[in-house]
Amino acid sequence: MNRLPHSPRVLSLANQKGGVGKTTTAINLGTALAAIGEEVLIIDLDPQGNASTGLGIDRKSRKVSTYDVLIGEAELRECLVPTAVPRLTVAPSTLDNLGVELEIAGSGDRAYRLRKAIARHVEAVESTGGREKSFTYVLIDCPPSLNLLTINALSASHSILVPLQCEFFALEGLSQLLSTVEQVKRSLNPELGIHGIVLTMYDGRNNLSAQVVQDVRANMGDAVYETIIPRNVRVSEAPSYGKPALLYDLKCTGSQAYLKLASEIIQRERRFRAVAA
């Protein structure tokens, strides 16, 4: 496969455990990056389509979805939907993605469908002089499993961002995810790296949360972002209104944490690029 294009930067949000804050992080990190001037695309690969719903995209309006892109019946640009957030676009998902594995399992390029779609979009942007929508960041919201959808995301990504809930057994399953990342790096995408681990749903009243933070930092070191996402009612309420937390309540602790995380991610990007240069 050809090298991944330098821009946009493609980050997968992945963890095979459910309920760790992947979708919440995708929505609010994407919003925070857009708020500080980045052009952001969220690619929803989870058949549940919660990232799409959380950004106010009605299920009936998802005429073209990431399913159509992955099975080769649509280009990425055909499923792009603008959101209420300036500079934030979503490629929505539907339950059809449950059938992607059966549709493309026999194809030789089954692990590269998303990567090729993103590359074609980048080429279209360059060849049309910017008439196609261009992005500086692409965030891929993966399903809570290590299936072909997640493999497509990892094959298309420069880095993986791992949301990790501050609860007992937080580290359980992380080793399996890291092992999968290494396998993908060896066989499909040599450029793939760990961008960072973000601790989510932190409860300062709970001694267990503090212990989890200590344990994860002891095991994973600098891979863990400094920013910790607190458990926050306003962040939990926001999706039911089809809004990111930053639109629902900018001043709540959760929204402020995602703004800090966005700033930290951009700082890491600068360091990564300086090392690669």
Side-chain angles (χ1 to χ4, degrees), residues 163-197:
L164 207 63
Q165 189 176 357
C166 291
E167 64 168 13
F168 198 57
F169 297 133
L171 286 165
E172 187 178 287
L174 182 60
S175 59
Q176 183 187 355
L177 177 62
L178 297 179
S179 173
T180 300
V181 170
E182 282 304 311
Q183 289 172 9
V184 170
K185 188 171 182 175
R186 283 196 303 270
S187 58
L188 300 171
N189 179 9
E191 296 177 55
L192 186 65
I194 302 293
H195 199 285
I197 295 167

Side-chain angles (χ1 to χ4, degrees), residues 101-147:
E101 200 132 358
L102 288 173
E103 290 273 0
I104 67 173
S107 304
D109 67 344
R110 59 187 174 275
Y112 290 115
R113 292 296 184 93
L114 184 60
R115 178 171 174 151
K116 288 181 172 181
I118 294 172
R120 285 196 302 271
H121 187 77
V122 172
E123 288 169 7
V125 169
E126 293 171 350
S127 64
T128 59
R131 286 198 299 275
E132 296 288 351
K133 179 73 172 174
S134 64
F135 303 100
T136 54
Y137 279 91
V138 174
L139 306 180
I140 307 174
D141 187 31
C142 297
S145 57
L146 298 176
N147 59 15

Side-chain angles (χ1 to χ4, degrees), residues 43-45 64-71 79 91-94 97:
I43 295 179
D44 191 352
L45 285 191
V64 182
S65 72
T66 49
Y67 167 80
D68 301 293
V69 175
L70 290 169
I71 66 168
C79 77
S93 178
T94 65
N97 268 330

Side-chain angles (χ1 to χ4, degrees), residues 48-60:
Q48 295 177 82
N50 290 337
S52 308
T53 304
L55 286 166
I57 310 304
D58 183 77
R59 290 186 183 276
K60 292 177 183 175

